[in-house]
Amino acid sequence: MTEQPPTAAPRTPEYRIEDLAHISGATVRTIRAYQDRGLLPRPERRGRANVYGDAHLARLRQITDLLDRGYTLASIKELLQAWDAGLDLGGVLGLVAEIDGPWTDEKASRISRADLNAAFGGVPDEAAVTEAVELGVLERVPGRDDEFLVPSPQELAVAAELHSAGVPLPAISGHLRELRGQVEHIAARFLDFTTEHVFQPFLDHPPTDAEAAEAAALVRRLRPLAQQTIDAELARAMRTLATRHLRQHLNGALLEAERRSPAAPDARSVADPRTATDSEAASEAVVLPAEAVRAVRALVGAENTAAFIAAAAHREVQARTMDALASAESRTDTPASRTDAPKA
């Protein structure tokens, strides 16, 4: 029986930096930058060549994954150092995955360019499409010029409805940019609030798997609260402000209509036929402050404004007349003026 030679151990793959860049999808410049930052181990030196292995490839893929999750290079370095020190980061990465999950139940859809044009008046507008892509309302589909991805169909539907109501597309885009900045500010405040009062205990130290799981459960519980709070507060604000806004505009329109109408009293004057002579009743007007007219209109309504002011003036005249009569009677009733007073 012949003795078999020992089987050679499988050779570990080795890469030059150009090969590693091609396989990992990174550039040579990026790989060298990661090495300089301490994110990637130095290669082995073989003569005049630098040799990389599977460990370098795995580390590059870890860095890419963490960058896609929103980590900075500085935080990635800390995570990788903890990983190299033997800490289990599975729970932490699970928490990150939970935070990265969808924050809405809305599903993305697709729309053809023909349907897009039809939804916005039937006239192609390439500038508006470019603006929508920049805002993320639309996303181009690689290799397809006649189709777009719609991350939020609701947002696109709102824009189409506003446009059909007469709002120009540039105004809609400008409004969305302004609104987005304000909403991002609200989101930042909500995150600061929950971090301070809920998640701070998990951030003071690298969380264990159990703590990371608890934090992930809290994220799932609190995730809908932001939207629910905004929905309730937006409904309250719209109800309050829309009523006030509409009243102001209607009052302004009524004032203008009364000013222009020859049959109606001027916005700042009210005729009082009860205090004028017969020949003057149809033409005499009393100038009043606009603020007073607006206050009366808010109190009794536009249709009763003139009558209310006239009645108030008439009542004031009657009151002053009665005061004058009473004062005159008081003066004539003094002892010196009485005809039946005893003579000295």
Side-chain angles (χ1 to χ4, degrees):
M1 183 175 180
T2 58
E3 185 177 347
Q4 297 292 332
T7 304
R11 186 175 179 181
T12 303
E14 295 179 349
Y15 312 99
R16 296 176 302 168
I17 190 169
E18 294 82 4
D19 299 329
L20 182 63
H22 176 73
I23 296 172
S24 66
T27 64
V28 170
R29 183 177 180 180
T30 298
I31 292 173
R32 287 176 175 153
Y34 288 167
Q35 288 175 181
D36 293 339
R37 287 175 173 265
L39 296 169
L40 194 67
R42 292 287 178 180
E44 293 184 24
R45 189 74 177 174
R46 301 277 181 84
R48 295 183 177 181
N50 290 325
V51 177
Y52 298 84
D54 280 343
H56 296 90
L57 180 59
R59 178 55 57 88
L60 280 173
R61 288 172 174 167
Q62 288 173 341
I63 295 172
T64 301
D65 180 62
L66 291 170
L67 285 172
D68 291 341
R69 293 172 183 267
Y71 281 87
T72 64
L73 289 177
S75 59
I76 290 174
K77 182 176 181 180
E78 293 178 359
L79 284 172
L80 294 177
Q81 288 173 343
W83 203 319
D84 292 339
L87 296 179
D88 185 7
L89 299 182
V92 175
L93 296 179
L95 173 59
V96 173
E98 186 66 45
I99 295 173
D100 284 345
W103 286 72
T104 176
D105 294 333
E106 189 177 14
K107 303 297 183 183
S109 65
R110 294 196 177 202
I111 188 171
S112 66
R113 185 177 285 269
D115 289 342
L116 182 65
N117 292 339
F120 288 89
V123 180
D125 190 334
E126 194 59 35
V129 170
T130 301
E131 182 83 0
V133 170
E134 291 178 359
L135 288 168
V137 177
L138 298 175
E139 294 182 5
R140 299 189 186 276
V141 178
R144 299 290 300 271
D145 292 333
D146 59 343
E147 190 175 29
F148 295 93
L149 179 68
V150 185
S152 174
Q154 291 180 2
E155 191 170 51
L156 184 64
V158 168
E161 193 67 27
L162 288 172
H163 185 259
S164 68
V167 183
L169 289 175
I172 296 175
S173 299
H175 175 71
L176 178 57
R177 288 185 186 277
E178 180 181 357
L179 180 65
R180 184 168 292 177
Q182 294 170 345
V183 171
E184 287 176 355
H185 173 73
I186 294 172
R189 293 293 300 118
F190 189 83
L191 288 174
D192 290 342
F193 172 78
T194 52
T195 297
E196 178 183 358
H197 296 285
V198 178
F199 294 106
Q200 193 60 51
F202 301 97
L203 304 176
D204 293 334
H205 60 280
T208 64
D209 283 353
E211 290 173 330
E214 182 181 354
L218 284 171
V219 171
R220 287 191 292 272
R221 283 175 50 196
L222 299 181
R223 178 180 289 155
L225 297 187
Q227 174 129 20
Q228 291 170 7
T229 302
I230 294 302
D231 287 346
E233 284 301 308
L234 180 61
R236 181 201 61 78
M238 288 298 295
R239 182 174 62 252
T240 302
L241 298 180
T243 302
R244 184 186 308 164
H245 191 71
L246 182 62
R247 182 182 295 118
Q248 290 173 348
H249 279 270
L250 288 178
N251 285 344
L254 288 170
L255 284 170
E256 182 65 18
E258 290 179 0
R259 186 183 68 81
R260 293 175 178 274
S261 174
D266 187 86
R268 293 175 299 170
S269 64
V270 178
D272 184 2
R274 287 173 293 186
T275 60
T277 64
D278 292 341
S279 61
E280 296 172 335
S283 60
E284 185 174 353
V286 178
V287 178
L288 297 175
E291 293 80 1
V293 176
R294 283 196 293 268
V296 173
R297 180 177 287 106
L299 181 64
V300 300
E303 68 278 5
N304 299 318
T305 298
F308 182 91
I309 295 177
H314 185 65
R315 179 179 177 182
E316 181 66 19
V317 169
Q318 287 181 326
R320 294 195 179 195
T321 300
M322 293 178 66
D323 289 344
L325 290 172
S327 177
E329 178 64 21
S330 175
R331 288 194 302 270
T332 60
D333 197 35
T334 60
S337 63
R338 290 177 184 168
T339 58
D340 57 347
K343 299 184 182 297

